[in-house]
Amino acid sequence: MASTGAAAGVRDGGELHVMMFPFLAFGHISPFAQLARKIVAVGDVRVTFLSAAANVPRIKAILGGSPAATVAVLRLPHVPGLPEGAHSTAEVDADGAELLKIALDATRPQVETLLASLRPDVILFDFATPWVADAARPLGVKAAHFSVFSAVCEAYLTVPAHRLVGDFASAPEGFPPSSPLATGVPAYQSADFAYMYATFHGMPCVYDRVEAGNAASDALVFKTCAEMEGPYIEYITAQHGGKPVLVTGPIVPEPPQVTGDDDRWSTWLSTFPDNSVVYAAFGSETYLSSAAATELLLGLESTKLPFLTVLNFPKGTDAEAELNKCMPPGFDERVKGRGAVHTGWVQQQRILQHRSVGCFVNHAGLSSVVEGLVAGCRLVLLPMKTDQFLNAALFARELRVGTEIARRSVDGWFSREDVRDAVAAAVAGDGGEESRWREFFMDDAVQKTFVRDFVDGLRKLKG
């Protein structure tokens, strides 16, 4: 599978200075920082990264210590209802995440000052701060909206044509007819997508923020490539009147560093044969209800395979108490020696790359799917919200990567048998498409070409 990216252009004209300003969620911060690390490695590129103080250590770790990437700290103003010192969605509940948008809006004077003093060539901003483009324009700074979501999500949920549809059950006009989503989505997914139009604390809804940012920006940027999402990229370009659409490639993460926690899980995993363990995890901010988590655990138990499950819970809850609610009666004794359930952070990449892990049950988050494929795992997809539903359709039904767990169309319910059957199907498959995409993601020359082409696109945007 060869890259269809444009040939490398002329890379002169001096240093390119890129400012990056992601939303205060690590599902957004991490892709921005991973991209920053990759573009500074091209050479003659400097990055200034904007975020709140508490996020800086993790950002610097992702940036990898390059002197060409620095972090400028923003002071978050006090917002009533937002806990003091909360600097990311990892520290707040769902309402707190909405209040963080208010806090970010209030940093506009600081961002304007940094833009005026540093004069970057381009600023990449996130969905929550469409005003960045207006702040950059008088200074001659180009602004590009960088979406950390797949192109299919933009194409289905936030293109201008969707305002004409009225709801999310149907695809917008002109949507790629070859897509498995062309005929619409089940009722439970459409109901979930209604969040895009929901307003909180008198603020613009997500759809309006995205639309405003797209309209005001000089270019749109997506964490994807034509090989994965060509028809959706073309549709988005047409929807925005031919505005430049740049792609970064899938941004394959760097190999993780070894930590002390690795020893615990590495030792446990090493007791099992190669490719025999099912690893189930759903990211740090995707939560299963107690009933759904119980069905998941019973389904994994019924596979008769060894498994490691990581379940996390919303901020402010007693994680251990919530975990106990999910545990079926007698479960611990029945799976003793072959099943483990954990709550809290783990080094996911290292677990996935362990020789004994062969199957990855996940929420279809874009980064998780890429990590699973790079690690050589068979994928089982259990999406729980918004972008995850669309990612699952893209990978399982269009790219033939992974197996979706069957769901009830009305409410999205799944049973233990559905979990068991999906794992069995994934493990029994030949893994041909997973292997093909793994080779593509692991092709260093291809991935570096994506990044170089992206930097060339930014230089062209700069003018």
Side-chain angles (χ1 to χ4, degrees):
M1 186 182 297
S3 170
T4 59
V10 178
R11 299 186 178 93
D12 54 17
E15 182 182 66
L16 179 71
H17 184 189
V18 180
M19 187 174 279
M20 293 189 169
F21 185 23
F23 179 54
L24 298 175
F26 275 94
H28 293 246
I29 291 170
S30 293
F32 270 76
Q34 289 163 357
L35 178 60
R37 179 170 178 166
K38 290 182 183 296
I39 65 174
V40 299
V42 170
D44 290 327
V45 178
R46 178 163 58 98
V47 169
T48 300
F49 203 99
L50 310 186
S51 196
N55 304 327
V56 173
R58 283 181 67 178
I59 292 169
K60 286 186 173 180
I62 299 171
L63 292 175
S66 171
T70 58
V71 183
V73 175
L74 298 175
R75 300 176 306 280
L76 294 189
H78 173 70
V79 174
L82 186 65
E84 196 68 33
H87 288 177
S88 77
T89 56
E91 303 162 64
V92 296
D93 58 15
D95 187 63
E98 302 301 331
L99 294 174
L100 280 172
K101 295 173 187 173
I102 296 178
L104 269 189
D105 285 342
T107 67
R108 179 167 180 167
Q110 298 175 59
V111 175
E112 289 176 337
T113 298
L114 287 167
L115 284 167
S117 61
L118 298 178
R119 294 296 176 112
D121 298 301
V122 182
I123 181 167
L124 302 186
F125 66 94
D126 210 337
F127 81 98
T129 53
W131 47 262
V132 166
D134 295 329
R137 190 174 301 107
L139 301 171
V141 177
K142 298 298 184 181
H145 176 201
F146 176 29
S147 173
V148 301
F149 302 106
S150 58
V152 69
C153 294
E154 169 84 14
Y156 195 93
L157 295 174
T158 59
V159 293
H162 223 307
R163 277 293 194 197
L164 304 176
V165 176
D167 64 52
F168 290 100
S170 302
E173 183 179 354
F175 191 79
S178 61
S179 170
L181 295 161
T183 55
V185 298
Y188 73 94
Q189 294 183 14
S190 177
D192 181 85
F193 295 161
Y195 165 75
M196 299 295 294
Y197 288 153
T199 60
F200 301 88
H201 306 287
M203 298 187 300
C205 65
V206 171
Y207 180 94
D208 287 342
R209 286 183 185 264
V210 172
E211 187 175 49
N214 287 344
S217 66
D218 297 293
L220 309 181
V221 178
F222 291 94
K223 192 181 81 165
T224 189
C225 58
E227 288 82 351
M228 292 170 59
E229 299 191 274
Y232 304 111
I233 295 168
E234 292 173 5
Y235 176 61
I236 291 166
T237 303
Q239 280 283 303
H240 292 282
K243 179 174 290 191
V245 175
L246 308 180
V247 296
T248 66
I251 312 184
V252 177
E254 301 294 327
Q257 295 180 337
V258 177
T259 67
D261 194 52
D262 292 335
D263 294 336
R264 172 189 176 188
W265 293 117
S266 179
T267 299
W268 187 81
L269 291 167
S270 295
T271 62
F272 301 104
D274 291 0
N275 299 315
S276 64
V277 177
V278 179
Y279 171 60
F282 303 89
S284 59
E285 297 183 41
T286 295
Y287 314 115
L288 276 66
S289 67
S290 295
T294 298
E295 286 300 306
L296 172 73
L297 293 176
L298 289 169
L300 293 174
E301 177 189 358
S302 66
T303 67
K304 307 300 183 184
L305 297 170
F307 62 89
L308 167 61
T309 303
V310 178
L311 296 172
N312 288 313
F313 304 94
K315 183 71 176 179
T317 60
D318 183 333
E320 289 298 331
E322 292 299 318
L323 185 61
N324 288 334
K325 290 180 188 176
C326 304
M327 304 293 276
F331 179 78
D332 282 339
E333 189 61 33
R334 295 196 303 273
V335 302
K336 188 175 182 179
R338 73 170 177 95
V341 184
H342 173 75
T343 186
W345 186 84
V346 296
Q347 180 48 274
Q348 177 162 288
Q349 283 178 263
R350 293 196 64 82
I351 289 174
L352 288 170
Q353 291 167 3
H354 194 280
R355 61 159 184 81
S356 70
V357 176
C359 181
F360 180 27
V361 180
N362 66 86
H363 58 304
L366 192 55
S367 294
S368 288
V369 170
V370 172
E371 288 176 3
L373 287 171
V374 167
C377 295
R378 305 290 176 83
L379 302 181
V380 172
L381 306 179
L382 182 59
M384 301 305 296
K385 59 185 179 183
T386 326
D387 59 301
Q388 300 166 11
F389 297 128
L390 302 173
N391 291 342
L394 170 70
F395 282 101
R397 284 178 258 162
E398 193 160 356
L399 303 181
R400 304 299 178 187
V401 171
T403 302
E404 287 182 272
I405 291 177
R407 312 282 279 272
R408 216 158 48 194
S409 62
V410 175
D411 58 6
W413 179 250
F414 62 91
S415 69
R416 63 200 72 176
E417 291 82 13
D418 295 324
V419 174
R420 179 200 64 203
D421 293 347
V423 171
V427 172
D430 63 12
E433 289 303 307
E434 281 97 337
S435 296
R436 192 166 73 97
W437 284 102
R438 180 176 187 271
E439 290 173 8
F440 177 66
F441 291 147
M442 293 294 287
D443 189 323
D444 192 55
V446 169
Q447 301 307 321
K448 285 181 176 177
T449 297
F450 283 136
V451 178
R452 288 195 300 269
D453 287 351
F454 174 65
V455 170
D456 283 348
L458 293 181
R459 289 191 181 279
K460 194 174 296 183
L461 187 67
K462 168 190 170 184

